[in-house]
Amino acid sequence: MTGTPALVVVGAGPRATGLIERIAANAPELYADGRLDVHLVDPYPAGGGRIWRRDQSPLLWMNSMAEDVTMFTDETVRQDGPVRPGPSLDVWAEEARAGRAAVDADPVVRAELATLTGQDFPSRRLQSAYLRWVYEQSVAALPPGVTVHEHRTRALRVTGPRDGAQQVWLEDRAEPLHADLVVVAVGHLDAEPDAEQVELAKFARRHDLVHLPPDFTADTDLSALRPGEPVLVRGFGLAFVDLMVLLTEGRGGRYEDGAYLPSGREPVLYVGSRRGVPYHSKIGYAWEGERTPLPRHFGPGEVDALRSGAVPADFRADVWPLIVRELGHAHYHRLFSAHPERTAVDWADFAEKYAAAEAGAPELEALIAASVPDPADRLDLDALDRPLAGVRHESPEALQEAVRDYIRADLARRHDPSHSPDLAVFFGLLSVYGQLIRLGASDDGWHGFFSYLASGPPGPRLEQLLALSRAGVVRFVGADMTVAADEERGLFRASGSTVPGATVEARALVEARLPPPSLRQTRSPVLRALHRDGAAVTEEGLLQVDPDDGRVVDTEGRPHPRRFALGPFTTARASGAFTRPRTGGPAFAQNDAVARALLVRLRDADRRPAPRTA
């Protein structure tokens, strides 16, 4: 290797920031005196990137409390590199108020910062300031020989042989960046429409209708949605919550004493989904007492066994039973330890028989029924996943009240510590995600299930949803929502299974969900080029990477020695680029492994003898 080695990181959001933090942490051990140019390529500012950029509506919140957000490792992270502690978002706010942390923010964000508590749900603009600060601190912690260069543009493709230097071609310059190593960390993806969306878009154009395909709500032009008119909304997750906020408060409405006072500029949102209910509320109480020991039934040993099989693990047949057992262990351990009066046997006896019984076997169900008298205290993942399965109502009005009752019950439960096994299951979900990263298998809907249970909206957002429902601004369609294009009437028509025969017609349809993280549909030119040049993708379109160090795998199963990838578009997708303190931080462990692999390769290349000259 001659000259200064170069690392190009495509993407400059939180994942890239986490990688730089880990490079800084590991460099003293692995690359102490080495020189390195790090090039960050992203059209959006480094730190927050696109999703957490500063220039978005101040009405949009994070879906986590400030005390539950950190970008720094602690001793719970299973990593080979050193822990470099740093402040969570709420502690950073305290440091900023005391003048010990510099904040680059406008007056509105500074005003929010001045009163932020650990239990508040910060705006995304405030999170952007935190992420920028973390980025700047991480860059400052790099050894003197490491220099970071920011390129506010888009990467188009990566070229170069497996055993030679790489070229990263940029949108606004003729000459590429030359790189010894490349990491693609572009975050969430835009996507080309699938066949259904293409047909719906054509139908909308023929009849002068409004069709908004899957997109990031904060980036979507909502001006075509007219006041007072019905809008069909398919999707009931976090994208819907953003849509709800921007079309209500964002159009001048306000909340007063639990009621919503319309501005008159709101459309009427008819919302449904496969489940027909919103994501579960964020849990609103803290953990107390003994922490559930995790992992127990789905840990490194089980992952090693699955990875060593002659054929790839089948998620539904091989992995899901282990997940069910792990979540059940988390639930029942907490129930027995924190609420023993609601159990009928000794924990040690239950745990032994629970571990011995086969998943789904009648003896396991009998054990749980005999040991936990109240069915409400038993974990039923199917019922949690599909709460309206088989439920029927005689009228749309009956459905409105039933869904409001469901939301009120969810809010009450998620803020009641007597239901703390729910929080144990949350930690179980985080533990499972950490193991799935190492497994690198197809997830068969796991990410959506995780998000529905563990990554739902703040409780106050669901309180607002109730107020909007009472005001008639939001109407519930029910489960199994379908949308048809009625050529004769020139309208979209929606129906669900919960109220048989009921339909809603509208001139506007919004697909309130994120685009799929598929390389087959992505608009990212650099990922399209990787796929075209031989990178392997799964059936779902996820980029295949080595689960140990993030190297991109080709269609022959070979990890590329110079190309790496991190993010939700890979088979090692984590639950998020940041996480709660002291919960293991699977993404942090991933960042550490990739950073160490990069530094070791740079170090070893630097030690090779220079080629002889004639």
Side-chain angles (χ1 to χ4, degrees):
M1 186 179 292
T2 60
T4 301
L7 165 66
V8 174
V9 181
V10 181
R15 207 58 199 271
T17 294
L19 179 65
I20 290 174
E21 189 279 328
R22 288 290 84 201
I23 290 174
N26 284 285
E29 173 195 352
L30 300 175
Y31 201 66
D33 300 319
R35 295 177 302 152
L36 177 64
D37 283 329
V38 178
H39 297 270
L40 293 180
V41 180
D42 197 316
Y44 295 94
R50 174 185 175 184
I51 302 302
W52 302 99
R53 67 187 186 274
R54 185 180 306 179
D55 61 336
Q56 57 185 305
S57 170
L59 295 172
L60 298 177
W61 300 350
M62 300 189 70
N63 66 322
S64 297
M65 292 188 290
E67 65 186 13
D68 291 336
V69 177
T70 188
M71 281 287 289
F72 295 97
T73 58
D74 56 44
E75 67 276 14
T76 67
V77 180
R78 295 184 176 91
Q79 61 183 20
D80 293 329
V83 169
R84 284 199 171 186
S88 56
L89 177 53
D90 64 319
V91 174
W92 169 78
E94 293 175 5
E95 295 288 304
R97 288 194 291 267
R100 293 189 292 270
V103 178
D104 180 15
D106 61 34
V108 175
V109 173
R110 288 182 176 275
E112 180 186 359
L113 184 67
T115 60
L116 185 76
T117 72
Q119 289 74 47
D120 288 333
F121 291 91
S123 71
R124 294 182 200 164
R125 297 173 78 237
L126 180 56
Q127 171 71 347
S128 179
Y130 172 65
L131 291 173
R132 181 67 191 185
W133 179 85
V134 173
Y135 167 75
E136 291 172 347
Q137 296 298 305
S138 300
V139 170
L142 291 166
V146 181
T147 304
V148 174
H149 311 267
E150 296 182 23
H151 304 269
R152 292 286 296 275
T153 186
R154 196 178 312 276
L156 300 179
R157 65 187 186 280
V158 180
T159 60
R162 286 178 58 86
D163 58 352
Q166 306 292 290
Q167 296 82 42
V168 180
W169 299 84
L170 307 182
E171 192 170 53
D172 62 349
R173 53 186 283 180
E175 293 298 317
L177 293 174
H178 295 278
D180 297 279
L181 301 170
V182 177
V183 179
V184 181
V186 293
H188 294 285
L189 307 180
D190 290 322
E192 297 294 342
D194 61 19
E196 181 190 20
Q197 297 302 315
V198 168
E199 292 305 312
L200 288 171
K202 291 179 179 177
F203 172 77
R205 287 193 294 270
R206 284 197 302 273
H207 296 280
D208 194 24
L209 308 179
V210 178
H211 169 248
L212 300 181
D215 197 1
F216 300 94
T217 309
D219 295 343
T220 303
D221 182 2
L222 304 176
S223 60
L225 303 178
R226 301 173 183 173
E229 289 197 0
V231 174
L232 305 182
V233 181
R234 187 159 51 173
F236 219 159
L238 299 180
F240 164 75
V241 172
D242 286 354
L243 182 76
M244 175 188 88
V245 170
L246 294 174
L247 291 175
T248 55
E249 286 183 284
R251 291 194 173 185
R254 71 183 194 278
Y255 297 92
E256 189 174 298
D257 298 327
Y260 180 71
L261 304 180
S263 68
R265 298 168 56 208
E266 305 90 343
V268 180
L269 305 180
Y270 286 82
V271 57
S273 65
R274 182 177 68 91
R275 296 184 180 94
V277 295
Y279 282 13
H280 283 284
S281 165
K282 271 289 187 291
I283 292 176
Y285 52 84
W287 184 274
E288 294 183 0
E290 177 188 2
R291 182 65 68 90
T292 301
L294 296 169
R296 174 62 179 85
H297 296 281
F298 185 45
E302 288 75 20
V303 171
D304 289 343
L306 290 167
R307 290 180 61 180
S308 65
V311 296
D314 178 89
F315 184 88
R316 193 53 55 177
D318 303 321
V319 182
W320 180 246
L322 295 171
I323 293 175
V324 171
R325 189 176 291 275
E326 185 79 330
L327 298 182
H329 169 79
H331 175 94
Y332 292 115
H333 180 275
R334 178 63 181 179
L335 182 69
F336 276 76
S337 61
H339 312 287
E341 71 282 358
R342 285 147 53 186
T343 64
V345 298
D346 177 73
W347 164 251
D349 181 55
F350 175 87
E352 181 180 358
K353 293 177 179 176
Y354 180 86
E358 290 187 17
E363 58 265 27
L364 180 59
E365 300 304 316
L367 170 68
I368 294 171
S371 306
V372 181
D374 187 349
D377 284 329
R378 302 170 195 164
L379 181 64
D380 187 339
L381 293 178
D382 290 336
L384 281 172
D385 188 37
R386 296 298 302 273
L388 297 186
V391 174
R392 299 293 180 266
H393 291 285
E394 294 183 354
S395 69
E397 290 308 318
L399 171 64
Q400 307 313 303
E401 189 56 42
V403 175
R404 286 195 290 264
D405 286 344
Y406 170 88
I407 295 170
R408 283 190 285 262
D410 183 61
L411 281 166
R413 181 180 179 111
R414 304 287 274 195
H415 290 78
D416 182 354
S418 70
H419 294 291
S420 63
D422 293 354
L423 185 53
V425 170
F426 169 83
F427 288 123
L429 289 162
L430 294 180
S431 177
V432 165
Y433 230 128
Q435 304 308 321
L436 290 176
I437 287 175
R438 289 191 57 240
L439 186 59
S442 169
D443 72 7
D444 193 23
W446 159 259
H447 184 74
F449 178 75
F450 172 91
S451 298
Y452 167 67
L453 282 186
S455 191
R461 287 301 196 207
L462 292 181
E463 296 282 4
Q464 292 174 350
L465 175 59
L466 288 172
L468 292 168
S469 173
R470 291 191 296 267
V473 176
V474 171
R475 301 274 299 174
F476 307 120
V477 174
D480 304 310
M481 179 179 177
T482 60
V483 174
D486 189 327
E487 288 284 359
E488 183 176 343
R489 293 181 54 77
L491 296 170
F492 294 111
R493 187 175 67 253
S495 61
S497 64
T498 317
V499 184
T503 62
V504 183
E505 294 180 339
R507 297 186 66 262
L509 167 65
V510 179
E511 303 285 9
R513 60 185 186 275
L514 294 179
S518 169
L519 266 67
R520 293 192 177 94
Q521 293 175 241
T522 183
R523 288 180 178 165
S524 166
V526 70
L527 287 178
R528 285 204 310 267
L530 280 179
H531 182 28
R532 187 172 58 245
D533 293 343
V537 300
T538 65
E539 186 176 332
E540 297 88 357
L542 298 178
L543 178 66
Q544 189 77 48
V545 297
D546 187 318
D548 292 328
D549 59 13
R551 286 178 296 164
V552 175
V553 175
D554 67 16
T555 53
E556 297 180 17
R558 301 176 302 168
H560 198 290
R562 294 174 179 266
R563 298 178 185 177
F564 299 72
L566 286 165
F569 57 91
T570 73
T571 52
R573 61 193 307 193
S575 55
F578 41 82
T579 189
R580 285 189 177 203
R582 304 191 57 75
T583 57
F588 298 165
Q590 225 177 2
N591 295 341
D592 187 75
V594 172
R596 292 178 69 84
L598 295 169
L599 293 171
V600 166
R601 182 168 182 85
L602 290 166
R603 179 197 65 194
D604 292 349
D606 197 42
R607 289 175 178 174
R608 293 174 192 150
R612 294 181 181 180
T613 56

